Structure formats: C-alpha cells, structure tokens
Amino acid sequence: MIKNVLKGIVIGVANIIPGVSGGTMMVSMGIYDKLIYCITHLFSEFKKSMKFLIPIFIGMAIALVGLSFLIEPAFEHFPLQTSCLFIGLIVGGLPAVWGKVKGKGIKISYIIPFLIFFAVVVGLAAIGEKEGSAADLTFSLWSCVKLFVVGIIASATMVIPGVSGSMMLLLLGYYNPIVSAIKDFVTALVSFDMQGILAGCGILVPAGIGIVVGIFAIAKLIEIIFEKFPLQAYWAIIGLIVASPFAVLMMIGVGSVSVVSVVVSIVTFVIGFIVAMKLGD
C-alpha cells in the first residue's frame, strides 16, 4: 500500500514536469503492464483493480497538489540538479525494459520504432520551448469543451511511456494556466473561499473528465499493441527512455554550471537511479 502510494507520488511529480514522462516512470517502477491491465479490466475485475489503482491515484494526487508548490522553485533555483534527479529516475528503469528484449535479437522492425519514438520525444522537446498563446479559462460552454479535449490529449500522452503529458499541455498553451488553477483551487479550498472553489471547479472538472476518458481510451489501445507486437513496443519504449534525458535538458535548461553544481547533479542522478531501481523491485 505505502509502496504503491510512493510510486504514485513519483508518477504524479513526473507528470508535472515538461519533458518528463509519467508513463516512463510507470515502466521504470515495473507497474506499467499491471496499471494498463487494471484500467482496461476495471469493471470486469473491479475489486482487484481498485485495490491496486487507489494507492497509485492517492500518491499522484498528493504529488499534483502538494509537490507542485515545490517543483517550480526547485527548477528555478536548481535546474541542473533537479533535472538530473529526474533523469536518474528515468534511466533507472532502462535495465528492466532491456531485460524484455535481451536475447531476442535485433531486427529492422525493432530499430524503426526505436528511432521513430526517439525522434518524436526529442522533436517535441525542440518545439516545446515556446508555449502557445495564453489559454482562455473564462467559464463558458466553449471553454469547457476545449478543456475537455485538452484533458483527453494530456491524459493520453501521460500514459504513453516517454511522452510527457505536461509537455503537450505546454505546446497547447494550457500548462501554466492549469497549474495555476490547481494552486488557486487548493488555496481557495483551505480558506473556504466558495467563489474561488467554484471558479476552480469550472476549470478542473471538465479537464478532469477529459483526463479520465483519455486514459481509458489510450489504455485499451496500448493493451492491444502489447498483445500483438510486444517486442516492437518495448523497443519503442527504449527509444522513448533514451530520448527522455535529452528532452528534459532541452525543456528545462541547465542554468549556470559550476564544479559544485555538477557534483551535486551527479549525486541527484545517482539518487534518482537508485530510487527507480528500488521502486521497480
């Protein structure tokens, strides 16, 4: 239970950071296949699925609500060190994925998905440094529809290993507005500000519904792909994982570099790597 909550926290924090993939974190910690199975079999195996999913979602909620207040200052003041922590978390899952394809040979049908998905992640990071125009979050039917669609796109990409849902929000111009909406909603909830709570619900509810719809839709598609083309899928994931460190550094930047910052960054990388390995046991 506690271990799954911790895994959920790691996934939730990853989904906050543009360039970092929550799906990759799921793979790193060895819960990706089981998570997809529980989502796609939620109604046929409700009790078993919920027993696994609830701690994960609790952890994600803790991260999204609580740690979102800490992540921005961490990247603002210690960009290289924080980036290396997440790179360590990502790379720490590579041995487990490599074990899925080790000894199976290397074919052109494996290399192609590797190269395609490597290029997709790096390409998205390259064009994702400029956020789109500020999103209109005034409460209206059209705004709710847009938030619903944005939620579907973001959640679908959150589930795919190596693809950053928050980076997609950044590209769509909704990253900063939605992060601010979460913070404002939590603040309003704590102070019992009903106007602020209703305003937050007007933004977060349609986006949340879209997220749920997107997760269920993409999870079923991913399950089919893993059933039909498992080795190609794992090679695609390897491409995503290998590309993710480049994407993180491209999206976040490294700030000023000194001997001390490099040493600390190596330490944070090692910590992230060890954490990913341990959580993946």
Side-chain angles (χ1 to χ4, degrees):
M1 172 74 175
I2 295 177
K3 191 173 184 179
N4 281 342
V5 171
L6 292 174
K7 291 180 180 181
I9 289 174
V10 172
I11 296 167
V13 173
N15 279 321
I16 297 173
I17 312 303
V20 180
S21 167
T24 300
M25 292 299 144
M26 298 174 199
V27 174
S28 298
M29 294 178 292
I31 62 171
Y32 188 76
D33 294 348
K34 188 173 182 180
L35 189 70
I36 294 297
Y37 181 88
C38 288
I39 291 173
T40 55
H41 295 78
L42 179 62
F43 298 107
S44 60
E45 300 181 24
F46 185 78
K47 187 176 180 179
K48 178 182 176 181
S49 297
M50 291 301 292
K51 185 178 180 180
F52 177 75
L53 292 174
I54 287 176
I56 299 293
F57 288 148
I58 289 174
M60 291 177 67
I62 291 172
L64 291 171
V65 173
L67 298 184
S68 61
F69 289 89
L70 301 177
I71 291 301
E72 287 187 15
F75 273 99
E76 181 181 352
H77 298 292
F78 309 103
L80 180 60
Q81 297 89 331
T82 308
S83 295
C84 285
L85 173 64
F86 280 93
I87 290 172
L89 286 167
I90 294 167
V91 177
L94 189 56
V97 183
W98 180 252
K100 301 287 187 178
V101 300
K102 187 177 180 181
K104 304 294 177 62
I106 298 177
K107 301 179 181 179
I108 190 67
S109 63
Y110 304 159
I111 299 301
I112 289 174
F114 171 88
L115 293 175
I116 290 174
F117 282 85
F118 181 94
V120 166
V121 174
V122 174
L124 285 173
I127 65 175
E129 294 176 305
K130 297 179 180 179
E131 185 173 10
S133 57
D136 178 17
L137 297 183
T138 54
F139 185 73
S140 66
L141 177 60
W142 177 236
S143 176
C144 288
V145 171
K146 287 195 293 184
L147 284 166
F148 174 75
V149 173
V150 166
I152 290 177
I153 295 172
S155 64
T157 52
M158 285 175 187
V159 176
I160 300 173
V163 182
S164 169
S166 52
M167 185 161 63
M168 291 305 299
L169 286 177
L170 195 67
L171 294 173
L172 294 169
Y174 276 83
Y175 178 74
N176 287 322
I178 288 181
V179 170
S180 297
I182 293 173
K183 291 181 178 179
D184 293 342
F185 177 75
V186 173
T187 302
L189 203 60
V190 171
S191 60
F192 297 103
D193 177 6
M194 288 305 300
Q195 185 175 355
I197 292 172
L198 291 174
C201 287
I203 298 170
L204 299 178
V205 168
I209 294 173
I211 287 171
V212 172
V213 172
I215 287 175
F216 276 91
I218 196 67
K220 189 61 182 177
L221 176 60
I222 289 172
E223 185 180 47
I224 293 172
I225 291 172
F226 271 92
E227 286 178 358
K228 302 292 185 181
F229 311 102
L231 288 175
Q232 287 84 352
Y234 280 117
W235 272 101
I237 289 174
I238 291 171
L240 296 169
I241 293 176
V242 172
S244 290
F246 297 99
V248 172
L249 295 175
M250 290 169 69
M251 291 292 296
I252 304 301
V254 298
S256 59
V257 178
S258 65
V259 175
V260 174
S261 67
V262 170
V263 171
V264 175
S265 298
I266 293 172
V267 172
T268 57
F269 171 85
V270 172
I271 291 172
F273 187 91
I274 294 173
V275 168
M277 293 285 286
K278 291 296 182 182
L279 289 178
D281 290 340

